[in-house]
């Protein structure tokens, strides 16, 4: 196996290659003056199994196109198999037509990856796993929640209260609880499909004097986490922390979250940022090795 | 037939619908806070032939994704046939692997459009027409050069000298000449594949005291046009004009071109800008009608 580190995941890709002890195929990348992406492989991929590491963080469409171009270049130059490792999979929330007239964006993404001649996909904590069943090639989501929980455990957060900011994320909190050994629960959140407005239904939580860690897959504008944090502080939580797999942190998300009383935000390098304190590299390596073994 | 006007070609799409006397399907469009595009059709497309008008000017990848999402929404809600009208087709210059390791970007774009369930494509002055032969569905390029030449002719530019800035564009100048009735020629241009540097081989031109119109498909950074204009001024041309189908006009392209002695830049609404003095709407209408008739 050889690794190609896409422009959106350069550091992560190199870390994965180092851990696996495999070669990184050098990639020349530039933007044309008009903004088109240009890629050129500067190494041999003939008859190789290639893993392309490229997250689809913002600018999502550009990162997706770069991934497609890299896969095309690899296939065209003889790659035998192309696995895409896309830690943050964009457009995953639009997984059905909620309203009349909508597109199903994640299915468009899946078909684009197929069109780019990608053979299989590894992603991390995709919004809903079942969307992957419809992908026209094997696609698997692995969870970084245990890695995030371990990070807190190593800091002495044993038995911290794991909170999911909504019912859909409940299993994330449950997963974290298995590492932390404390309790877990979730908030009843409602999002208006038209306005995007979020509201939370009050509920009693036994968090008095406890450390609470809010676990979510994505932190985008931070509205959900900020609301959850305020809720926990009001319920008497001692300290509130936020852990997420994909720290999108749009605009003033970080400020908003810290102002809501969160002590620290911990994310992974799914999207490289200064809160990327946990690396996905060991997790992804394990999955790549596992899949290689299965193929024999 | 019904028209969907994509966010990148809103005005042009509405003009086309008006000329054809057909309905525009209302499209709700927004960007999510994280930058993902969201589309929702607010009209009925069931059993309809749909023409989606969406150019892929910068940001190319985002405009391409929007087109894919619109096509998905239309197909999902029962559209019988989807024609994409993409006046400026991005990534068309990378039509083969010029260097080892390159992707063939235009083939990736073609496969993405196919993946988006588009049935046919109409584009305008694609960089090289032969790329369309490889498209996995019927794809046609129509030329706006006669429309541009007519614009000048109506301004009294009869017998103006039509110049192509390189050999590849020679037939554009030839096409313009047929309308203008003067002479035409082309410059010998060389572009270094690695550095992108452009040079022109000196050649004698009989342009003394004449009006020269430089015709090109795209004006990007304006380097080629500026060089050609200087060349024409040195050869004794009286006035130099620049006409292009796709006025990308990246950065200070316009300033650069005007400083090289060009009196006026004339483009089409393939990409809406203040030089868009010629509309593609009549041309595209004619082609849409022609194709509809052929299908019977």
């Amino acid at each position: 196996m050889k690794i190609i580190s896409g422009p959106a995941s350069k550091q992560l890709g190199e870390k994965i290659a180092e851990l696996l002890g495999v070669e990184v195929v050098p990639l020349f990348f530039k933007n044309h003056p008009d903004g088109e992406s240009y890629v050129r492989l500067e190494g041999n991929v003939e008859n190789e199994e290639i893993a392309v590491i490229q997250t689809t963080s913002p600018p999502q469409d550009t990162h997706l196109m770069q991934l497609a171009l890299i896969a095309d270049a690899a296939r065209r130059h003889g790659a035998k198999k192309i696995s895409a490792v896309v830690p943050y999979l964009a457009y995953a929330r639009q997984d059905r037509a909620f309203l009349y007239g909508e597109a199903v964006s994640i299915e468009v993404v899946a078909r684009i990856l197929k069109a780019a001649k990608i053979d299989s996909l590894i992603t991390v904590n995709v919004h809903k796993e079942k969307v992957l069943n419809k992908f026209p090639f094997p696609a698997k989501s692995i969870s970084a929640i245990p890695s995030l929980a371990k990070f807190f455990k190593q800091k002495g957060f044993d038995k911290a209260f794991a909170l999911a900011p909504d019912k859909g994320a409940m299993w994330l909190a449950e997963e974290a609880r298995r590492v932390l050994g404390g309790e877990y629960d979730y908030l009843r959140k409602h999002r208006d499909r038209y306005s995007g407005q979020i509201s939370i239904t009050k509920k009693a939580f036994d968090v008095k004097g406890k450390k609470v860690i809010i676990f979510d897959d994505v932190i985008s504008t931070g509205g959900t986490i900020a609301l959850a944090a305020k809720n926990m502080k009001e319920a008497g939580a001692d300290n509130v922390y936020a852990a997420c797999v994909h720290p999108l942190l749009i605009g003033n998300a970080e400020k908003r979250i810290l102002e809501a009383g969160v002590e620290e935000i911990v994310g992974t390098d799914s999207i490289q940022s200064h809160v990327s304190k946990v690396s996905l590299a060991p997790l992804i390596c394990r999955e790549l090795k596992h899949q290689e073994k299965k193929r024999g």
Side-chain angles (χ1 to χ4, degrees), chain A:
Chain A
M1 187 192 296
K2 287 184 181 180
I3 299 289
I4 302 177
S5 251
S9 294
K10 203 153 168 47
Q11 275 179 274
L12 176 61
E14 278 159 15
K15 241 184 228 175
I16 291 170
E18 207 188 307
L19 278 180
L20 286 173
V22 302
E23 197 184 311
V24 174
V25 180
L27 175 76
F28 176 80
F29 167 76
K30 69 170 180 177
N31 284 307
H32 283 299
D34 58 13
E36 288 182 4
S37 290
Y38 169 86
V39 302
R40 187 170 72 235
L41 303 178
E42 294 188 316
N44 190 15
V45 294
E46 220 177 313
N47 266 318
E48 296 284 350
E49 297 197 357
I50 298 293
V52 184
I53 322 295
Q54 168 88 343
T55 205
T56 51
S57 57
Q60 294 89 342
D61 304 323
T62 295
H63 287 157
L64 187 62
M65 188 65 184
Q66 288 165 356
L67 173 58
L69 293 175
I70 293 168
D72 178 81
R75 181 66 79 194
R76 195 171 292 279
H77 292 83
K80 195 168 63 185
K81 184 183 184 307
I82 301 171
S83 304
V85 176
V86 185
Y88 175 67
L89 188 61
Y91 289 102
R93 275 165 304 174
Q94 186 80 39
D95 58 357
R96 60 190 180 93
F98 298 97
L99 298 175
Y100 180 84
E102 284 182 347
V104 181
S105 314
I106 190 62
E107 290 186 12
V108 175
V109 169
R111 295 201 306 266
I112 288 176
L113 296 178
K114 176 79 181 173
K117 305 201 175 173
I118 283 165
D119 296 301
S120 67
L121 172 78
I122 297 170
T123 184
V124 183
N125 291 97
V126 68
H127 195 60
K128 282 181 203 149
E129 277 198 42
K130 66 166 201 256
V131 304
L132 301 181
N133 298 337
K134 281 198 181 177
F135 273 49
F137 47 74
K140 184 172 178 181
S141 177
I142 54 180
S143 178
I145 294 293
S147 311
L148 285 165
K150 262 175 224 153
F151 175 87
F152 281 99
K153 192 171 178 156
Q154 278 159 10
K155 280 176 63 156
F157 280 55
D158 232 20
K159 311 258 185 254
F161 190 96
L163 182 83
D166 56 27
K167 198 175 176 180
M170 187 177 63
W171 74 275
L172 303 182
E174 207 283 322
E175 225 186 336
R177 184 200 57 89
R178 266 180 268 154
V179 174
L180 293 165
E183 291 165 86
Y184 80 102
D185 209 334
Y186 67 93
L187 284 174
R188 274 173 190 82
K189 191 183 83 169
H190 175 75
R191 182 191 297 269
D192 187 286
R193 279 269 148 222
Y194 285 90
S195 69
Q197 205 67 40
I198 292 166
S199 58
I200 278 178
T201 312
K202 289 278 173 202
K203 182 174 153 187
F205 286 102
D206 179 25
V207 294
K208 216 172 209 115
K210 288 184 187 167
K211 283 189 169 75
V212 175
I213 310 169
I214 307 168
F215 285 88
D216 209 349
D217 51 353
V218 183
I219 298 182
S220 178
T221 59
T224 300
I225 299 285
L227 213 60
K230 269 182 215 154
N231 213 281
M232 289 298 102
K233 294 297 271 188
E234 281 166 23
D238 218 7
N239 305 100
V240 180
Y241 298 80
C244 73
V245 180
H246 311 295
L248 279 177
L249 297 175
I250 305 299
N252 62 351
E254 195 177 352
K255 189 165 166 271
R256 200 171 170 186
I257 291 168
L258 297 179
E259 279 176 6
V262 167
E263 312 264 332
E264 190 185 355
I265 305 169
V266 176
T268 79
D269 51 1
S270 154
I271 298 166
Q272 192 60 47
S273 90
H274 68 281
V275 306
S276 302
K277 298 165 194 174
V278 173
S279 179
L280 297 175
L283 206 62
I284 291 169
C285 281
R286 209 178 311 146
E287 184 58 29
L288 284 170
K289 271 189 202 159
H290 172 70
Q291 294 197 359
E292 207 178 21
K293 212 170 167 183
K294 255 185 19 192
R295 286 193 301 272

